[in-house]
């Protein structure tokens, strides 16, 4: 039986995407409050002021998870609920909320897995430069320690920073996410600071909770080249891999950046590295978030509308990157083989340097409506999840040590710059009434959990 007996079947959400209650119980403003209040930044002018009202409805949401048989819930903690100004002044009502949430999870028999930072930086910290400023390190370390002190008696597993690539490159490089900066220098600085912040947070957490299991959560995507006989495509793919995947894999697990990264970034990176920054910590686990592989095609003109983002500026030439095949509501392709390939790749290329892996996010946006029969027949989501789970199963049989899977997301929620129209949930949410309806995929996932993956449809899918 390929999925290990105690495989951790979970679901995931993040604070700003589900909690709402943005002005309740002393919560301070984060960069996502500012960003979504800025016209033109988020589709339809949506924001997280109310979202799923999870802050008030968490008991109902936990009941849904319990009924589904979910074994673990990966949620994130809102920094500005605990420290509204990002300094050391506590807001006890914020701590109380997570106490209630965690206690309810524990009594429902669901393991709480807490992400310390899922993109909602206190606005006052952004005002002094945010992640692009090294001054972020101390407040982040203090915040992580406070989280571990407060909740580490019941939360055994902590993720530090969710998807540092997205946070750095979409937040500070393309400006698609908060804080909306468009500076490569800042994106590179933020990238390095996430590595150092992770290492420091790891130590801070361990200093107060030695038994806590701490790990990074990385968004990863393999490049799929159209033509491997084209050196330009191979170079673009290697650059993509370096700035997306290897920057963090090497930075966190080898304590160094590759020659390619160092030469791509030059002194924009090297001037930031202080003594001790890259000292490797003994991570307890690695979280991989996977949605799709990225296509790399032939060279195109510098202003081509579907050129690969970031590569053009880093490489000095642009390549076609339009996804092919059936696309999801996000416009993303469906490449299940990519997930297993990544898990096997780290196993083979990093060996003992990497700890046990968890797929900490995987899911798909489809806007399937309520049918006449009162059900939501999201067959396409079932198929997506089925094939990605098969890919994990295949990776396990090829030697990858994968211990758990967190479906993204428990329920439809605020999809960042895309607002509420992009629905990733296995539970449907009516945002006018807050009524939750378990989709057919949610019922299917319950069966997957119950059978520990035995009920997956073993259709033919290509896994390399
Ligand atoms: C995750 O991020 C988030 O952690 C989660 O909060 C979010 O709701 C969920 O996924 C669904 O979007 O085309 O250049 O932008 C998004 C993961 C990583 C997917 C980067 C797209 C491609 C790079 N993303 N990836 S780019």
């Amino acid at each position: 039986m390929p999925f290990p007996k105690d495989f951790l079947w979970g679901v995931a959400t993040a604070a700003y995407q589900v909690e709402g209650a943005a002005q309740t119980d002393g919560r301070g403003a984060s960069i996502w409050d500012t960003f979504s209040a800025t016209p033109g930044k988020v589709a339809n002018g949506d924001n997280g002021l109310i979202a799923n009202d999870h802050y008030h409805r968490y008991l109902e949401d936990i009941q849904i998870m319990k009924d589904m048989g979910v074994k673990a819930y990966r949620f994130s903690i809102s920094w500005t609920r605990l420290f509204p100004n990002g300094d050391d002044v506590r807001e006890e009502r914020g701590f109380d909320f997570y106490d209630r949430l965690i206690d309810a999870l524990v009594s429902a028999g669901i393991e709480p897995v807490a992400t310390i930072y899922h993109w909602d930086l206190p606005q006052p910290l952004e005002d002094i430069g945010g992640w692009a400023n090294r001054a972020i390190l101390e407040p982040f370390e203090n915040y992580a320690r406070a989280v571990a002190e407060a909740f580490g008696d019941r939360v055994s597993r902590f993720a530090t920073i969710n998807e540092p690539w997205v946070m750095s490159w979409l937040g500070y490089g393309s400006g698609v996410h908060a804080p909306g900066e468009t500076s490569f220098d800042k994106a590179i600085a933020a990238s390095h600071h996430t590595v150092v912040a992770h290492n420091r947070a790891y130590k801070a957490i361990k200093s107060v909770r030695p038994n806590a299991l701490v790990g990074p959560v990385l968004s990863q995507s393999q490049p799929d080249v159209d033509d491997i006989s084209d050196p330009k495509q191979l170079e673009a793919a290697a650059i993509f891999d370096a700035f997306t995947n290897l920057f963090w894999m090497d930075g966190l697990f080898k304590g160094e950046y590759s020659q390619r990264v160092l030469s791509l970034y030059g002194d924009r990176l090297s001037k930031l590295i202080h003594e001790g920054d890259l000292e490797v910590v003994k991570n307890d686990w690695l979280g991989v978030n996977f949605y799709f592989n990225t296509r790399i095609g032939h060279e195109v003109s510098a202003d081509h509308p579907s050129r690969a983002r970031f590569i053009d500026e880093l490489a000095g030439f642009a390549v076609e990157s339009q996804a092919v095949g059936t696309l999801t509501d996000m416009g993303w392709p469906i490449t299940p083989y990519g997930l297993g390939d990544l898990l096997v790749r780290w196993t083979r290329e990093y060996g003992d340097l990497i700890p046990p892996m968890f797929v900490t996010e995987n899911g798909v946006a489809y806007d399937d409506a309520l049918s006449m029969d009162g059900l939501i027949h999201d067959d396409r989501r079932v198929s997506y999840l089925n094939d990605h789970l098969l890919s994990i199963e295949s990776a396990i049989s090829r030697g990858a040590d994968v211990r758990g899977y967190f479906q993204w997301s428990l329920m439809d929620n605020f999809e960042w710059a895309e607002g509420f129209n992009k629905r990733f949930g296995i539970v449907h949410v009516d945002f006018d009434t807050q009524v939750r309806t378990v989709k057919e995929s949610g019922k299917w996932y319950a069966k997957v959990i119950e059978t520990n993956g035995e009920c997956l449809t073993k259709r033919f899918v290509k896994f390399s």
Side-chain angles (χ1 to χ4, degrees):
M1 198 162 64
F3 287 104
K5 199 164 73 315
D6 49 359
F7 195 75
L8 199 59
W9 295 100
V11 289
T13 65
Y16 191 72
Q17 296 181 271
V18 298
E19 283 181 5
Q23 287 155 357
T24 303
D25 289 343
R27 176 184 174 281
S30 81
I31 56 175
W32 269 96
D33 295 290
T34 310
F35 192 73
S36 43
T38 309
K41 298 297 186 190
V42 175
N44 311 310
D46 288 345
N47 60 58
L49 278 172
I50 301 171
N52 299 35
D53 197 30
H54 184 60
Y55 190 81
H56 296 113
R57 295 167 195 265
Y58 66 96
L59 288 177
E60 180 187 346
D61 295 334
I62 290 172
Q63 188 61 47
I64 293 171
M65 288 186 253
K66 190 177 177 184
D67 292 344
M68 227 177 242
V70 161
K71 299 198 189 310
Y73 177 43
R74 174 175 174 246
F75 61 98
S76 85
I77 292 174
S78 157
W79 191 338
T80 62
R81 283 200 196 282
L82 307 191
F83 300 95
N85 296 310
D87 53 18
D88 54 8
V89 181
R90 293 163 65 100
E91 169 51 79
E92 295 305 331
R93 291 172 294 178
F95 282 87
D96 293 346
F97 168 66
Y98 293 107
D99 275 332
R100 294 195 296 277
L101 174 74
I102 291 163
D103 288 343
L105 286 166
V106 171
S107 53
I110 299 169
E111 182 178 331
V113 176
T115 303
I116 290 175
Y117 182 79
H118 201 123
W119 307 351
D120 43 359
L121 189 70
Q123 185 60 45
L125 291 175
E126 184 54 42
D127 296 340
I128 58 164
W131 286 98
N133 183 348
R134 195 175 169 90
I136 191 69
L137 297 177
E138 199 186 317
F140 184 71
E141 178 182 335
N142 292 338
Y143 163 57
R145 184 184 304 104
V147 166
E149 253 162 10
F151 310 119
D153 54 339
R154 290 150 292 160
V155 174
S156 54
R157 205 173 283 280
F158 290 99
T160 53
I161 301 167
N162 181 69
E163 301 190 341
W165 182 87
V166 174
M167 201 279 285
S168 303
W169 285 93
L170 302 192
Y172 294 88
S174 70
V176 171
H177 281 184
E181 293 273 350
T182 52
S183 153
F184 267 48
D185 287 19
K186 287 185 183 177
I188 290 166
S191 299
H192 176 62
H193 294 146
T194 61
V195 172
V196 190
H198 169 84
N199 291 341
R200 294 216 190 164
Y202 174 97
K203 289 183 188 157
I205 295 166
K206 293 283 188 176
S207 74
V208 294
R209 297 287 181 186
N211 296 327
L213 301 170
V214 186
V217 166
L218 308 177
S219 60
Q220 299 189 331
S221 179
Q222 300 253 56
D224 275 352
V225 297
D226 283 1
D227 178 2
I228 56 162
S229 70
D230 176 353
K232 275 265 156 84
Q233 292 184 40
L234 289 183
E235 191 187 339
I239 290 170
F240 175 83
D241 187 41
F243 84 87
T244 308
N245 303 316
L246 297 183
F247 185 92
W248 283 274
M249 289 303 290
D250 292 344
L252 294 169
F253 295 107
K254 292 184 174 167
E256 63 188 28
Y257 298 124
S258 65
Q259 268 321 312
R260 188 184 297 276
V261 160
L262 290 169
S263 67
L264 277 177
Y265 292 175
D267 70 351
R268 292 180 290 185
L269 174 61
S270 50
K271 68 167 194 247
L272 303 168
I273 305 174
H274 293 208
E275 175 97 35
D277 273 5
L278 295 176
E279 195 190 302
V280 175
V281 296
K282 216 183 152 322
N283 287 297
D284 301 293
W285 55 282
L286 161 64
V288 172
N289 291 0
F290 180 81
Y291 291 88
F292 59 91
N293 272 9
T294 301
R295 177 178 165 218
I296 303 290
H298 58 86
E299 188 172 2
V300 291
S301 62
D303 58 355
H304 194 280
S306 56
R307 66 191 178 280
R309 280 191 288 174
F310 307 120
I311 294 177
D312 46 357
E313 192 155 330
L314 293 170
F317 61 89
V319 292
E320 160 71 30
S321 190
Q322 177 58 52
V324 290
T326 308
L327 304 183
T328 72
D329 281 4
M330 295 293 279
W332 296 347
I334 301 172
T335 59
Y337 53 88
L339 175 53
D341 284 353
L342 275 166
L343 300 165
V344 171
R345 177 183 176 194
W346 305 140
T347 305
R348 293 184 184 159
E349 292 180 14
Y350 287 68
D352 292 344
L353 294 179
I354 53 155
M357 294 177 281
F358 289 76
V359 174
T360 33
E361 281 181 33
N362 173 243
V364 63
Y366 287 124
D367 185 6
D368 292 307
L370 209 61
S371 300
M372 297 291 285
D373 60 6
L375 304 177
I376 295 150
H377 297 279
D378 56 338
D379 310 346
R380 293 175 298 174
R381 177 172 291 101
V382 168
S383 152
Y384 177 98
L385 297 176
N386 183 84
D387 292 354
H388 284 76
L389 285 169
L390 286 185
S391 188
I392 294 172
E393 195 174 356
S394 152
I396 293 172
S397 63
R398 286 179 282 156
D401 184 3
V402 188
R403 306 274 179 97
Y405 173 85
F406 293 78
Q407 188 275 335
W408 182 274
S409 175
L410 167 65
M411 50 186 169
D412 299 337
N413 59 47
F414 176 77
E415 178 49 30
W416 307 112
E418 302 291 338
F420 292 105
N421 275 345
K422 299 292 186 279
R423 295 175 173 271
F424 277 88
I426 51 175
V427 174
H428 179 273
V429 177
D430 178 328
F431 292 102
D432 294 325
T433 61
Q434 293 294 349
V435 169
R436 277 90 160 123
T437 308
V438 179
K439 301 180 189 179
E440 291 308 286
S441 60
K443 299 174 191 168
W444 170 85
Y445 191 49
K447 228 178 289 152
V448 173
I449 296 171
E450 196 194 315
T451 63
N452 202 36
E454 284 287 318
C455 73
L456 292 174
T457 304
K458 304 258 174 28
R459 62 175 146 257
F460 179 77
V461 195
K462 172 193 163 283
F463 299 119
S464 49

